[in-house]
Amino acid sequence: MLSLTTGLVPLVLAGLLGWTGAVKLFDRDTVRRAPKTALARMLRSSERAALVLRGTGAVELLLAAGLLALPANRVPGAATAVLGAGFLGYLGYGRALAPESSCGCSANEDTPITWRAFARAALVLVGGATAAVAHRVWWSTLTERPGGSVVFLAVAVAVLVALSVDLDRWWLLPLRRLRLRVFGHPLFGSEPGDRVPVAASVELLENSLAWQTAFPVVRSGLLDHWEEDGWRILLYSGVHGAGANARPVSVVFALDATASRDTLGDPVVRVSFIDANTGNRVAEDLLNAVPPRRALPTLG
């Protein structure tokens, strides 16, 4: 197993560095994505970050060629290990400096630096060190142990794919969709009355026209909730009137207990305003007298 690993590691590293290097060096999006990387924050220049990414891509391609053509030579493996160590240092500094930025590892991802980027850089470091001490060439290993080589390469590719955020849309998203089909949506419970959590009902309510109409009266967050005859009742406190005529009211919303943002059509929402002192419904003319809330101006 050890000889198989040392024999094929240069081939695996060449594939990884060849892919990431080609993306950095030749992809048109490298310039567009450079400002989003931690490298741009370090260099305080998107243009310099793009140049460094292009240069790094060229180095990766050169190392990939060396690993393929000179697998028994120590130089390509040692240089790859140094590159992996540099990646780890850059990721650590970038994570501390700009945790919301991407690493630009493949110049084709917008997600922040995660443990997967560190793991992939660590594999480059360990793999480079392993390739530096290898004495066998990868084509001899392939011809002498074809079965084991295929299994090893398949596992290596699977690991690298799992550590590459760029490829999530090809395997991780389909797996998540399959999980939803098999196990159901996480918002849905097993009991009919619990199919939609209260937080989802509140979110649905706050995006409804009924909420926009009644919101000038509301003065609190959600105070209480319960279900009755298929309706989910949501209770808020409020005030109607102004000055000496201001009176506390209870604002009661009712909407379908099974409705959520995924439900087709606009949900039906009922609104009632109950005088907090007398328990009587507040006249609609008083509620209509409440001035509507003005939208905040936005600048384009």
Side-chain angles (χ1 to χ4, degrees):
M1 183 63 185
L2 181 60
S3 62
L4 187 69
T5 301
T6 56
L8 295 179
V9 157
L11 183 60
V12 175
L13 287 177
L16 174 63
L17 296 179
W19 166 50
T20 57
V23 171
K24 290 190 184 80
L25 186 58
F26 299 117
D27 198 322
R28 296 178 180 176
D29 286 342
T30 298
V31 175
R32 184 176 62 83
R33 295 179 187 277
K36 302 177 182 178
T37 65
L39 189 62
R41 291 283 302 276
M42 294 179 188
L43 300 176
R44 299 181 180 181
S45 170
S46 300
E47 291 76 13
R48 286 196 290 268
L51 288 176
V52 172
L53 286 174
R54 298 284 195 200
T56 304
V59 171
E60 289 179 81
L61 284 178
L62 184 63
L63 290 177
L67 289 167
L68 284 177
L70 305 169
N73 191 301
R74 293 175 180 269
V75 175
T80 301
V82 172
L83 182 67
F87 282 160
L88 285 174
Y90 160 69
L91 291 172
Y93 187 63
R95 176 76 177 174
L97 179 66
E100 74 284 356
S101 301
S102 68
C103 66
C105 301
S106 65
N108 196 25
E109 56 190 45
D110 295 327
T111 56
I113 299 172
T114 66
W115 66 269
R116 292 201 286 178
F118 283 96
R120 193 168 64 178
L123 285 180
V124 173
L125 169 60
V126 175
T130 303
V133 298
H135 300 291
R136 294 173 58 85
V137 294
W138 56 268
W139 53 82
S140 296
T141 305
L142 283 177
T143 54
E144 293 172 4
R145 303 174 64 179
S149 298
V150 170
V151 173
F152 177 85
L153 292 175
V155 172
V157 169
V159 171
L160 293 178
V161 168
L163 296 178
S164 301
V165 178
D166 295 22
L167 304 178
D168 282 356
R169 64 182 182 278
W170 299 108
W171 68 277
L172 189 57
L173 289 180
L175 280 181
R176 288 173 175 170
R177 289 169 181 161
L178 178 62
R179 185 185 63 183
L180 291 178
R181 292 194 187 97
V182 174
F183 299 104
H185 198 283
L187 291 180
F188 294 165
S190 58
E191 298 297 331
D194 296 332
R195 293 191 65 190
V196 175
V198 175
S201 296
V202 171
E203 181 183 14
L204 185 66
L205 170 66
E206 293 180 351
N207 285 282
S208 69
L209 180 61
W211 174 264
Q212 296 176 23
T213 303
F215 185 66
V217 179
V218 176
R219 292 292 186 273
S220 74
L222 180 64
L223 298 178
D224 196 4
H225 63 87
W226 65 91
E227 293 181 17
E228 184 175 334
D229 297 332
W231 293 90
R232 172 160 288 160
I233 314 298
L234 304 172
L235 176 65
Y236 296 78
S237 67
V239 174
H240 72 76
N245 296 323
R247 304 178 64 179
V249 296
S250 297
V251 186
V252 184
F253 297 93
L255 66 163
D256 188 348
T258 63
S260 69
R261 296 185 65 178
D262 297 328
T263 303
L264 297 177
D266 295 329
V268 176
V269 182
R270 295 178 176 176
V271 189
S272 295
F273 303 91
I274 309 298
D275 189 293
N277 296 325
T278 64
N280 298 324
R281 294 186 61 180
V282 176
E284 292 185 359
D285 56 341
L286 292 177
L287 297 172
N288 293 334
V290 177
R293 171 165 293 190
R294 298 175 55 187
L296 294 175
T298 57
L299 297 176

